[in-house]
């Protein structure tokens, strides 16, 4: 990170140091922000990429922990360790080292904002992980710093004064007794200490707490305990970031991507493929390694339930509707089925119910299109778990996520057909009923393969590759893919970057 010490950075550090030395009231600048504007410092191209990768390691670690069903108390430890390894920050900025870490945090956030603004799926992923990171950072702040944060960001939440607390003390005690028992109601702490534990919040912002009678209402204000404050602040952070991502997406398409086509665009676009690990499923994996004769056995042993169901339905009905063909066809492409074999597969099944001429006229084009041989000649990416979960199958459709879209009885019957034990089936059903669909899929993997799924399931093709690893004794069924890294042929070297100038964050992602 020493390369981040640009002249602008040094000037900013000197100003902050001088200002801090002049203050004796202890009010240092908080390191946690809502990222209202990008930093104006110039950043070397190598640091531009490296800082973003460090932040991605944090966000990916958060996603993996959430996918494994980590408890909230354990998540605090996970996030703390990830930050210590990749994004170390202090609560407040007090010295030059803290300034440097603060700059790295801001730069990495805005670089990833560029990388993940380009599609709805990328925006959704980035928004979820950044909101989780922000939540645990906010909760880790001491109470005094949380109050400072509300003030610095002009949030409409104010702590009660001792006199305000005395006026509603009895009502607040009754609410605490109803929630935690009689012993939790009264307290011997002074009014000043207890007042700081409650905040006045516009009641419409805490509708869920009002509905569950967990807050006291008076004159349009809800008196919210500090333990619920984090969710309110995270909601505002999420809303602001969502709007900023939409603005950035428009700016990226209209101005930034064309302007930086030969320098930053390849780096930024490559970064977004890392949210599912180093595997890029937009290209066929070991084309030809999976043939038509393999599909029957693979469907029974290694395909996730969403894909196994589509395979069985096309065998049974000799037809799939559009979104089912897209979901399953791109999956087959991702596991290594060649275009010729894909055309043969679909034609063989469909022509059992229709003439070959109709297949060629209505369906062959879309198969070639998915492989980048028609239309824009774009290689389409196999659907991720999130995209499948968020789909909305209708009557007669068979695509979607079984753990979300199937009835409990249907899912139980299918799990029994996979010869899962009753205990494993109960585990899967518990995850489904708790709306943890990817965890349910991971539990199915564990029950059918007899081993732990440590990495969680984020993608059907990931499930398939993990299954082949287990069933072939650690040897993948197809050639292992080369890691997809941001270092592409179009990326300039350090010398070329210096010759062409270094990117200035403010000019790239000014979204306010």
């Amino acid at each position: 990170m020493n390369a981040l010490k640009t002249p602008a950075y040094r000037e900013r550090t000197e100003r902050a140091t001088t200002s801090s030395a002049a203050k004796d009231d202890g009010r240092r600048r908080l390191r946690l922000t809502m990222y209202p504007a990008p930093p104006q410092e110039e950043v070397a191209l190598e640091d531009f990429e490296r800082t973003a990768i460090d932040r991605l390691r944090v966000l990916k670690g958060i996603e993996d922990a959430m996918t494994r069903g980590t408890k909230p108390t354990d998540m605090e430890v996970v996030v703390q360790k990830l930050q210590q390894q990749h994004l170390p920050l202090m609560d407040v900025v007090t010295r030059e080292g803290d300034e440097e870490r603060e700059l790295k945090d801001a730069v990495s956030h805005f670089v990833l904002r560029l990388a993940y603004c380009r599609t709805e799926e990328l925006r959704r992923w980035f928004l979820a992980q950044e909101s989780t990171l922000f939540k645990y950072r906010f909760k880790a702040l001491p109470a005094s710093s949380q109050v400072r944060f509300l003030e610095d960001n002009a949030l409409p939440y104010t702590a009660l004064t001792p006199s305000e607390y005395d006026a509603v003390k009895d009502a607040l005690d009754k609410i605490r007794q109803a929630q935690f028992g009689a012993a939790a109601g009264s307290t011997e702490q002074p009014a000043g200490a207890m007042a700081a534990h409650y905040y006045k919040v516009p009641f419409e912002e805490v509708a869920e707490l009002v509905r569950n009678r967990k807050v006291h209402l008076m004159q349009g204000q809800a008196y919210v305990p500090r333990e619920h404050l984090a969710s309110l602040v995270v909601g505002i952070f999420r809303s602001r970031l969502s709007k900023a991502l939409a603005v950035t997406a428009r700016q990226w398409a209209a101005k930034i991507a064309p302007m930086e086509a030969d320098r930053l665009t390849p780096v930024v676009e490559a970064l977004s493929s890392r949210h599912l690990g180093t595997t890029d499923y937009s290209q066929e994996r070991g084309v030809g390694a999976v043939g038509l004769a393999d599909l029957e056995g693979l469907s029974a042993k290694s395909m996730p339930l969403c894909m196994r169901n589509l395979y069985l339905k096309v065998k049974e009905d000799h037809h799939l509707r559009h979104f089912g063909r897209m979901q399953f066809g791109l999956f087959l492409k991702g596991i290594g089925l060649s275009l010729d074999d894909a055309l043969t597969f679909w034609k063989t099944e469909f022509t059992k119910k229709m003439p070959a001429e109709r297949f060629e006229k209505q369906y062959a084009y879309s198969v070639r299109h998915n492989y980048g041989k028609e239309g824009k000649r774009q290689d389409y990416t196999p659907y991720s778990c999130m995209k499948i979960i968020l789909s909305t199958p209708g009557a007669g459709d068979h695509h979607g996520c079984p753990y979300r879209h199937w009835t409990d009885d249907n899912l139980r019957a299918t799990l029994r057909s996979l010869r899962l034990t009753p205990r494993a089936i109960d585990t899967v059903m518990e995850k489904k009923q708790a709306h943890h669909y990817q965890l349910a899929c991971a539990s199915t993997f564990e029950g059918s393969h007899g081993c732990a799924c440590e990495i969680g399931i984020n993608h059907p093709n990931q499930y398939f590759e993990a299954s082949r690893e287990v069933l072939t004794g650690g040897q993948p069924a197809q050639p292992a893919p080369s890691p997809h890294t941001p270092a592409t042929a179009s990326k300039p070297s350090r010398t070329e970057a210096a010759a062409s100038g270094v990117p200035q964050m403010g000019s790239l992602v000014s979204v306010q």
Side-chain angles (χ1 to χ4, degrees):
M1 286 297 296
N2 290 335
L4 288 179
K5 294 184 178 181
T6 62
Y9 163 75
R10 287 193 293 270
E11 180 182 353
R12 174 180 164 189
T13 302
E14 291 171 1
R15 290 198 307 267
T17 303
T18 303
S19 176
S20 296
K23 294 180 180 180
D24 58 3
D25 63 354
R27 287 179 62 87
R28 309 296 189 182
R29 187 173 73 255
L30 290 176
R31 51 87 173 171
L32 183 64
T33 72
M34 292 271 195
Y35 304 103
Q40 298 301 311
E41 284 78 6
E42 293 181 344
V43 181
L45 193 63
E46 290 79 2
D47 293 316
F48 184 89
E49 181 179 0
R50 185 170 62 248
T51 58
I53 292 174
D54 283 344
R55 192 179 195 91
L56 266 182
R57 291 192 177 104
V58 175
L59 300 185
K60 185 62 171 63
I62 290 173
E63 182 194 35
D64 289 344
M66 296 292 287
T67 302
R68 291 194 299 269
T70 306
K71 297 179 181 178
T73 52
D74 296 331
M75 276 298 300
E76 295 178 4
V77 178
V78 169
V79 173
Q80 183 180 14
K81 289 182 178 179
L82 288 169
Q83 289 190 98
Q84 289 173 349
Q85 292 173 2
H86 307 296
L87 283 175
L89 288 173
M90 304 299 291
D91 289 342
V92 294
V93 179
T94 58
R95 55 184 183 273
E96 183 176 333
D98 296 339
E99 280 274 344
E100 186 176 349
R101 287 189 285 267
E102 182 190 30
L103 179 60
K104 176 181 179 179
D105 179 65
V107 169
S108 63
H109 171 86
F110 280 97
V111 173
L112 292 188
R113 188 183 286 190
L114 279 176
Y116 286 82
C117 72
R118 295 176 297 113
T119 69
E120 179 62 30
E121 185 177 1
L122 291 176
R123 289 193 292 271
R124 189 183 299 115
W125 184 88
F126 182 68
L127 194 60
Q129 312 317 321
E130 278 286 336
S131 297
T132 301
L133 174 61
F134 179 87
K135 177 177 72 172
Y136 286 103
R137 280 180 164 182
F138 182 81
K139 292 176 69 174
L141 291 176
S144 58
S145 295
Q146 290 184 358
V147 174
R148 279 277 313 283
F149 184 89
L150 301 181
E151 296 172 352
D152 292 349
N153 291 276
L155 300 183
Y157 312 138
T158 57
L160 300 188
T161 63
S163 60
E164 288 175 328
Y165 174 76
D166 285 337
V168 295
K169 178 179 181 301
D170 292 341
L172 296 177
D173 285 347
K174 289 180 180 178
I175 292 173
R176 291 188 65 84
Q177 286 177 354
Q179 293 182 52
F180 305 109
S186 59
T187 176
E188 299 299 327
Q189 296 186 35
M194 287 303 299
H197 185 75
Y198 288 92
Y199 292 82
K200 288 193 295 186
V201 176
F203 79 93
E204 62 271 14
E205 296 189 22
V206 288
E208 184 69 23
L209 297 178
V210 172
R211 182 162 49 249
N212 294 326
R213 300 187 178 185
K214 292 184 177 181
V215 293
H216 175 64
L217 293 179
M218 188 170 69
Q219 296 180 345
Q221 298 289 315
Y223 290 69
V224 179
R226 185 186 298 148
E227 55 261 30
H228 296 297
L229 183 63
S231 61
L232 295 173
V233 178
V234 171
I236 292 179
F237 173 82
R238 187 183 184 94
S239 176
R240 292 183 181 180
L241 179 57
S242 179
K243 294 176 182 177
L245 285 170
V247 174
T248 306
R250 293 193 293 270
Q251 291 187 341
W252 172 263
K255 180 173 66 175
I256 302 174
M259 180 178 66
E260 296 287 344
D262 297 327
R263 185 175 59 150
L264 292 183
T265 298
V267 177
V268 169
E269 291 181 347
L271 281 170
S272 62
S273 69
R274 289 174 172 258
H275 79 288
L276 293 174
T278 57
T279 304
D280 176 19
Y281 294 112
S282 64
Q283 303 293 330
E284 304 100 302
R285 330 300 297 168
V287 179
V290 174
L292 288 176
D294 303 320
L295 293 182
E296 185 73 30
L298 292 174
S299 70
K301 296 179 180 179
S302 295
M303 289 186 188
L305 201 52
C306 57
M307 300 303 171
R308 180 177 183 270
N309 175 61
L310 290 171
Y311 177 81
L312 294 177
K313 288 300 180 182
V314 78
K315 284 289 186 177
E316 176 183 338
D317 299 338
H318 310 298
H319 188 267
L320 278 180
R321 289 186 174 182
H322 172 74
F323 291 109
R325 297 196 306 274
M326 289 290 293
Q327 180 175 312
F328 189 52
L330 290 173
F331 170 80
L332 292 177
K333 171 191 169 186
I335 67 175
L337 192 70
S338 68
L339 172 58
D340 289 341
D341 280 348
L343 283 168
T344 301
F345 170 76
W346 293 108
K347 185 174 183 178
T348 299
E349 294 303 326
F350 276 42
T351 53
K352 292 178 181 179
K353 294 184 67 173
M354 67 178 65
E357 294 78 10
R358 181 182 171 191
F359 173 84
E360 292 293 341
K361 183 178 181 180
Q362 296 186 10
Y363 300 101
Y365 177 90
S366 65
V367 177
R368 294 193 296 270
H369 190 267
N370 285 346
Y371 279 76
K373 305 303 181 183
E374 299 284 2
K376 294 188 296 183
R377 299 187 181 276
Q378 173 183 342
D379 271 322
Y380 290 91
T381 304
Y383 290 178
S384 68
C385 286
M386 186 59 65
K387 186 176 182 69
I388 293 172
I389 288 170
L390 293 175
S391 63
T392 54
D397 288 325
H398 300 293
H399 65 282
C401 174
Y403 306 99
R404 181 187 181 189
H405 300 118
W406 288 9
T407 65
D408 288 0
D409 291 342
N410 191 7
L411 181 58
R412 277 188 180 276
T414 303
L415 295 175
R416 283 195 292 268
S417 72
L418 296 177
R419 298 183 180 179
L420 267 65
T421 65
R423 181 176 180 180
I425 292 175
D426 289 341
T427 300
V428 174
M429 298 306 299
E430 288 175 5
K431 301 290 175 57
K432 167 188 164 47
Q433 290 159 4
H435 308 295
H436 300 313
Y437 309 117
Q438 289 167 262
L439 295 181
C441 187
S443 296
T444 301
F445 182 97
E446 293 174 346
S448 59
H449 289 77
C451 64
C453 183
E454 297 293 342
I455 59 174
I457 300 298
N458 298 305
H459 201 291
N461 292 73
Q462 174 204 4
Y463 182 110
F464 176 85
E465 292 181 357
S467 173
R468 301 317 300 161
E469 291 267 358
V470 172
L471 297 178
T472 58
Q475 299 298 320
Q478 59 271 356
S482 299
H484 183 78
T485 65
T488 63
S490 59
K491 175 186 171 182
S493 66
R494 185 184 299 266
T495 303
E496 292 169 335
S500 61
V502 289
Q504 186 171 4
M505 290 302 302
S507 63
L508 290 176
V509 284
S510 180
V511 298
Q512 301 303 314

